Amino acid sequence: MKKRILAWYKTYGRHDLPWRNTENIYHIYLSEIMLQQTQVNRVRDEYYPQFLSKFPTLKALANAQEEEVLAAWSGLGYYSRARNLHATAKLCPDALPQSYEELLKLPGIGSYTASAIAAFGYHHNVVVLDTNIKRVIKRFYALLNPNDKSLTQAAQKILNDKEPRAHNLALMDLGSLLCTPKNPQCSICPLHEECQGKEEPELYTQTKKIQYEAMDLFYGIFIKDKKIALIESTGKMYKGMLELPSVDPIEDLFITSFKHAYTKYRLQVKLYHLEEAPKEALWISLEEIHQAPLSSLVKKAIEKVSLTAFA
């Protein structure tokens, strides 16, 4: 069975992903942090190469200013990831520690990321449990609502201790490409023969329905001399980022609206003309707006209006 897993991976695995074709621990670490909340294609084609072009090494990242790091992370969301990445680089500017236990001590590195760095970067004989691998293991052993400890013990039974890196990557790709949440392709899966959950695969992927919270947000647009007025966020979530000033909605000043999703929130965002800039405004040139540390929500808002029409 272990040989079948590796044979399948050799033929069908996602070998084009750049972080799988490097031994650079920093690059592998960066990819794991980015992939936590972002689609693979966006990380591969956009954010990963752009970030590395600005901060090619841990030392370069450690020497950067936080606002530079946040600007490079702009659009990825969950900005605590960028802050933790920066903090870790400052603690380990030359190299990340090799042991799982030492990796866990670093900012923003939990059990999954530590095991991923250990397995994919250092080729350690450890189980990696991302969402896809968990689904494969739950179905393979027909486990209903197992905790992470039980899943780790179960995954350990089939871990290929001779090639742990390829084995974990293979299970990850099986979950992504074949053992999908809905309509899994069980008949062509290399685990089909031994899989205990193949008769009712969706039984092992039931999750609680997320309750989304609706919220209205009102922001103002004020531009003068080809510069836009932004303010520094005071909230914990977007600390160090720039955002549009909040306003009281006045329909005569309404510009446009759009919808935006963020974690459990479903936002209705409305934009208005500002009659005057707030006193605490930071003025950002329209030509340099793309270099500013902006959230995806603010970027979307700016894209919704023709800024040159205001200049």
Side-chain angles (χ1 to χ4, degrees):
M1 178 186 65
K2 294 179 181 179
K3 290 182 179 180
R4 291 202 307 273
I5 293 173
L6 293 185
W8 178 88
Y9 177 64
K10 184 177 181 179
T11 303
Y12 302 106
R14 294 175 293 180
H15 302 291
D16 62 318
L17 300 177
W19 46 86
R20 293 191 180 182
N21 296 305
T22 180
E23 294 295 323
N24 189 307
I25 304 302
Y26 165 55
H27 292 192
I28 294 169
Y29 163 50
L30 174 65
S31 72
E32 290 299 334
I33 299 300
M34 285 188 167
L35 289 166
Q36 286 174 10
Q37 301 289 345
T38 311
Q39 293 179 337
V40 172
N41 290 347
R42 292 189 69 201
V43 172
R44 179 192 62 201
D45 301 335
E46 185 177 353
Y47 294 108
Y48 178 80
Q50 289 178 3
F51 197 91
L52 285 178
S53 69
K54 293 182 179 179
F55 313 112
T57 64
L58 273 171
K59 186 166 289 186
L61 181 58
N63 292 333
Q65 297 298 313
E66 183 177 277
E67 54 265 29
E68 294 179 273
V69 179
L70 292 174
W73 200 266
S74 183
L76 269 165
Y78 299 89
Y79 292 94
S80 60
R81 292 184 294 167
R83 295 189 190 94
N84 287 330
L85 193 71
H86 192 209
T88 290
K90 287 184 174 182
L91 290 170
C92 310
D94 297 315
L96 293 178
Q98 292 196 28
S99 77
Y100 173 84
E101 291 75 18
E102 289 301 312
L103 285 166
L104 278 178
K105 297 177 182 179
L106 295 172
I109 294 185
S111 58
Y112 166 74
T113 305
S115 61
I117 294 171
F120 304 149
Y122 293 121
H123 300 262
H124 290 179
N125 189 28
V126 297
V127 164
V128 178
L129 287 179
D130 77 333
T131 302
N132 287 312
I133 295 178
K134 286 181 179 181
R135 185 168 54 255
V136 171
I137 297 301
K138 282 193 284 188
R139 283 174 170 163
F140 185 77
Y141 288 106
L143 302 174
L144 287 172
N145 303 314
N147 56 32
D148 282 354
K149 182 178 180 180
S150 298
L151 283 171
T152 300
Q153 292 172 342
Q156 193 75 43
K157 296 177 183 178
I158 61 170
L159 178 63
N160 189 325
D161 55 8
K162 293 181 179 179
E163 296 190 61
R165 182 179 190 273
H167 172 88
N168 280 302
L169 290 173
L171 291 187
M172 190 176 288
D173 285 358
L174 277 175
S176 176
L177 303 175
L178 297 185
C179 195
T180 50
K182 294 183 179 180
N183 304 314
Q185 301 179 61
C186 298
S187 62
I188 59 173
C189 176
L191 296 176
H192 180 262
E193 184 178 334
E194 297 91 347
C195 182
Q196 299 175 43
K198 61 190 174 187
E199 300 303 326
E200 297 180 281
E202 294 189 8
L203 180 64
Y204 305 99
T205 57
Q206 295 177 352
T207 56
K208 293 182 180 179
K209 190 173 182 180
I210 299 174
Q211 297 296 320
Y212 293 106
E213 183 177 339
M215 185 183 298
D216 292 331
L217 298 177
F218 310 103
Y219 291 115
I221 301 287
F222 189 93
I223 296 175
K224 183 179 180 181
D225 298 330
K226 296 185 179 181
K227 294 182 179 180
I228 186 170
L230 299 174
I231 61 174
E232 187 171 349
S233 175
T234 56
K236 183 178 180 181
M237 186 179 299
Y238 290 121
K239 182 182 178 183
M241 307 291 288
L242 299 180
E243 60 185 10
L244 292 165
S246 297
V247 298
D248 293 325
I250 300 176
E251 290 311 306
D252 288 345
L253 301 178
F254 177 74
I255 302 172
T256 188
S257 65
F258 62 93
K259 294 180 179 179
H260 185 76
Y262 188 82
T263 60
K264 66 176 182 178
Y265 299 102
R266 293 298 177 263
L267 308 174
Q268 181 71 32
V269 183
K270 295 187 177 182
L271 304 178
Y272 297 83
H273 291 280
L274 261 182
E275 295 184 303
E276 62 180 30
K279 293 180 180 179
E280 70 274 23
L282 300 173
W283 295 93
I284 306 298
S285 166
L286 299 182
E287 294 180 353
E288 299 176 354
I289 192 71
H290 63 284
Q291 298 176 7
L294 307 176
S295 68
S296 57
L297 186 153
V298 175
K299 283 186 173 182
K300 188 184 293 186
I302 290 173
E303 290 171 358
K304 290 291 181 180
V305 298
S306 177
L307 296 184
T308 54
F310 294 80

